Amino acid sequence: MRKKALPNLAIATVVVASLLSACSNNAANTNEGSKNTSGNTTAESSTNAGTNTDTEAAKELVTLRVLVMEPGTKWNKYQDSVVAKAIADKIGVKIEYVEADENKFNVLLAGGDLPDIVRSDVNKFQKQLIDGELIIPMDDLLTQYGQDITANIGTVVDYSKKNWSNGTGKLYFLPPQVQPKPGTAIPPVTIGATIRWDWYKEIGTPALDTMDDLLGAVEQIVQKHPTTDDGKKVYGVSMWQDWGLWPYLIPPIVFTKSSGATSDLTAAQVGDSTFISTLTDESSNFWTAMDFYNKANRKGLLDPDSLTMKNNDYMAKATAGQIVVGPATWAMGDFNTQHANDGKGYIVVPAGKMAWTGEVRPLGWQDKSYSISKSSKHPEKAMEFLNYIYSYEGARTMYNGVEGGQWTVVDGKPTLTEETLALKAGGGLDFESTGLSLDRNIIGLGNGVVNPNDGQPLDLFSSEEALAKAATPLEKDFSSHYGASYSGEVFKKQIDEGKLTTFTTWMDGMSDDEILKRNTVPGVTLTEDLKKTEASLKELAARQAAKIILSKDDAEFAKNKKEAIEAFKKAGADEFTKFYNEEVTKLRTAHGL
């Protein structure tokens, strides 16, 4: 999965909306999907409502352009994939991404002429998009074309009307990856300390309890491998600068257990609701990252382009094998794809205190919420597409391919074919080009959601049997080293032994109703003045970060740190955090917590 940003949970879950962003794996209870309010015999059948026949759709293929705030996606590269063809055959549309970083995104909003569908952070952009009449209410379209949305995520629809409508009570936004509870198995972990496995194994897989431990391992590796096989310089650590504060907030999460919700300027321990200032609290991810990158730079392990480089340039270096450790598997370019047959590659290893094994997302990934632009010439088709991604049939197709092709029904149970499992196990371009799970941000329902019509998770690759059979050579080597049959089991064992927690551990023992309640607290919405303060502080933080990271010794680091904290306080960081906590308290109280 490619995820720019980590999935954004509600306030109680406290997970950054931005990952991994990236990015960056895992408000209605989607079990309600079994209650098909459209009156059709199955949830799948309702995807036909309001659509052309397959033959007509093929003749009248409509291109829908989707604005995504994610440079470097792969969707457009595979327009002939199994998944792309299935979408075209079913609803007669071709999906084309329009990529933008935050600056380009804001320029497009200012211009007003937007692609058909906009994928944005609902907590940041709802007022601008609605007040500017840049997007349309979906209510009438939902009635005509949205039977699966109504049946499967009805509570999300109600929540969106109440909390994401800028006070209008209408439906403007639908977040992807809605999932009310974690899946039963742990798929390959995609976010965390992502290290070149063959090199890490070569130095004895030392424990990575702290970021200092991680840096020590990286230093050993670079000493053994100062250049790539073709002579390019190897850097221990690198980062990119066109995703705001992302490289300073996300990589430390598994070590600190601290994560943000609706603002980069605040964070709390996962499961808690008391927020600290990212910029003025010295225990924050930002300052943990400052310490890490400064030490890396002083040891000669930091890529000198890190403070100016964009994501695409970073990915090119990762693809070339020039980076030892990164924040996520999807952030390491195409190295794994190109080396699928020889077992070399990057993989997330156990590190720190926490594993990103999946989440509870009753409200989906709010930072990637879908809306239909007023500029669209095909709003009906846009709604048909949105309905498809929230249907059981559509979501399963996007995860696994088509029935009769990549999977079949065996004894009433949907089952991946041996050929599909072998293709996944082989990895590389052959599997990637199928489009299966190519971008999970585009799938409406989470991979662990159970289809009530057959009792199986939508993502058939998520069963323990499939995870073992579909493991790549890299995953098999990693699993075998830790005495496991698939990569997720490596983490499962350490979680069971109490060595690691997860993003859902704090919910252990809660009832389904309580989990739903605690994960549907509305997010904090900033006033226009506070949005300006937030933007100003983020720009100031980026400038200060460069100066701090380049500090030549401990004394200069301490001096630059002190000056930066004073500057952040002067610019209103603490007042911002005070407001944020007050709003969280109000929202939780109003929600009955």
Side-chain angles (χ1 to χ4, degrees), residues 331-563:
M332 305 317 291
D334 288 329
F335 187 92
N336 285 17
T337 300
Q338 294 181 4
H339 294 271
N341 293 330
D342 55 27
K344 295 179 181 178
Y346 296 94
I347 198 163
V348 177
V349 298
K353 306 171 183 177
M354 177 177 283
W356 192 288
T357 59
E359 313 127 58
V360 169
R361 303 185 298 271
L363 296 176
W365 291 343
Q366 300 169 39
D367 63 321
K368 294 173 179 61
S369 295
Y370 286 100
S371 53
I372 299 175
S373 81
K374 188 176 182 180
S375 306
S376 176
K377 294 184 174 69
H378 309 285
E380 295 85 2
K381 278 295 180 186
M383 195 71 216
E384 287 180 38
F385 166 71
L386 292 179
N387 188 65
Y388 180 76
I389 69 175
Y390 291 98
S391 71
Y392 295 124
E393 177 189 6
R396 176 162 285 162
T397 298
M398 297 176 91
Y399 282 118
N400 314 283
V402 297
E403 181 180 0
Q406 289 67 46
W407 59 277
T408 59
V409 177
V410 179
D411 297 328
K413 178 181 176 182
T415 306
L416 292 162
T417 67
E418 293 298 321
E419 292 79 8
T420 301
L421 290 169
L423 194 64
K424 173 66 168 65
L429 288 172
D430 287 344
F431 180 74
E432 184 176 281
S433 62
T434 64
L436 274 59
S437 299
L438 184 65
D439 179 11
R440 297 198 174 203
N441 300 328
I442 203 175
I443 307 175
L445 301 176
N447 68 313
V449 171
V450 173
N451 184 335
N453 298 295
D454 54 42
Q456 298 301 307
L458 294 177
D459 182 2
L460 302 177
F461 286 101
S462 65
S463 73
E464 291 196 356
E465 179 183 9
L467 288 169
K469 285 186 176 181
T472 65
L474 171 63
E475 291 166 350
K476 287 178 180 177
D477 189 47
F478 169 73
S479 305
S480 175
H481 179 82
Y482 290 99
S485 57
Y486 61 94
S487 62
E489 191 179 15
V490 174
F491 293 89
K492 184 178 185 300
K493 285 185 174 184
Q494 296 207 11
I495 292 164
D496 291 344
E497 293 168 3
K499 295 178 180 178
L500 294 172
T501 61
T502 74
F503 282 80
T504 61
T505 298
W506 65 277
M507 288 177 266
D508 288 351
M510 291 184 184
S511 67
D512 288 353
D513 287 343
E514 188 174 4
I515 289 173
L516 182 65
K517 183 173 185 177
R518 289 181 178 276
N519 286 278
T520 52
V521 180
V524 173
T525 300
L526 301 178
T527 65
E528 290 305 306
D529 284 345
L530 282 172
K531 283 183 180 179
K532 292 176 183 177
T533 299
E534 181 187 47
S536 177
L537 278 164
K538 287 168 69 174
E539 289 177 5
L540 177 61
R543 292 197 303 272
Q544 292 286 350
K547 181 180 177 182
I548 295 160
I549 290 168
L550 296 177
S551 300
K552 294 178 181 178
D553 53 35
D554 289 345
E556 186 175 349
F557 181 85
K559 174 179 176 292
N560 289 336
K561 180 177 183 178
K562 181 180 179 182
E563 290 176 354

Side-chain angles (χ1 to χ4, degrees), residues 222 225-228 231-235 300 302 304 317 321-323:
V222 173
H225 300 279
T227 62
T228 62
K232 293 185 176 70
K233 183 172 176 56
V234 169
Y235 301 102
L302 181 66
K317 287 190 177 183
Q322 292 182 264
I323 302 169

